Amino acid sequence: MIRIEISDLAKITFQEVSAFIYFLWSKKVLQDFVDIVSNTKNLLLTNPYLGKPYSKNIRKIILHKNASMYYEYDEENKIITILLFNDNRQNPESYLKLI
């Protein structure tokens, strides 16, 4: 059975992206984003290759016009690790170097 883990960096960047969405739009748009993240996590449990390959082991899913999620899948151990959330106007490389 596949399981999902969330890195500390993903927790921090999720909060950053969420705060940005709330600041620019509304609580409703933020709730929609949270729902999209939840639904995407459920989809990943059935299809861990859902995201577009980004680099060797990392995949990217565009969640919202302003946000993407990066993750990796350890096929041997059946673990999806959500690495980070990113504002699509920013280059994720600075965050990905921290992983």
Side-chain angles (χ1 to χ4, degrees):
M1 179 175 215
I2 296 174
R3 74 175 201 261
I4 294 179
E5 295 180 351
I6 302 172
S7 72
D8 289 340
L9 181 58
K11 292 174 186 175
I12 292 167
T13 55
F14 177 79
Q15 291 299 320
E16 290 173 353
V17 170
S18 295
F20 176 74
I21 289 171
Y22 181 72
F23 177 76
L24 276 185
W25 290 288
S26 67
K27 188 175 183 178
K28 165 83 170 86
V29 176
L30 174 58
Q31 186 57 55
D32 291 346
F33 174 69
V34 171
D35 292 345
I36 290 168
V37 171
S38 179
N39 291 338
T40 301
K41 287 169 39 181
N42 288 332
L43 288 171
L44 284 173
L45 291 172
T46 57
N47 182 5
Y49 299 103
L50 180 67
K52 177 181 175 184
Y54 180 77
S55 67
K56 183 179 177 187
N57 296 321
I58 298 174
R59 294 180 165 272
K60 173 184 177 180
I61 295 177
I62 297 174
L63 301 167
H64 179 274
K65 67 180 179 179
N66 293 311
S68 294
M69 180 177 78
Y70 293 81
Y71 70 96
E72 63 185 352
Y73 177 51
D74 177 348
E75 191 170 354
E76 183 178 327
N77 294 309
K78 299 195 181 296
I79 299 171
I80 295 169
T81 304
I82 297 175
L83 302 171
L84 69 101
F85 293 85
N86 189 64
D87 179 337
N88 288 334
R89 298 170 305 151
Q90 298 175 343
N91 184 346
E93 293 301 319
S94 58
Y95 286 120
L96 290 171
K97 289 178 186 175
L98 299 174
I99 300 169

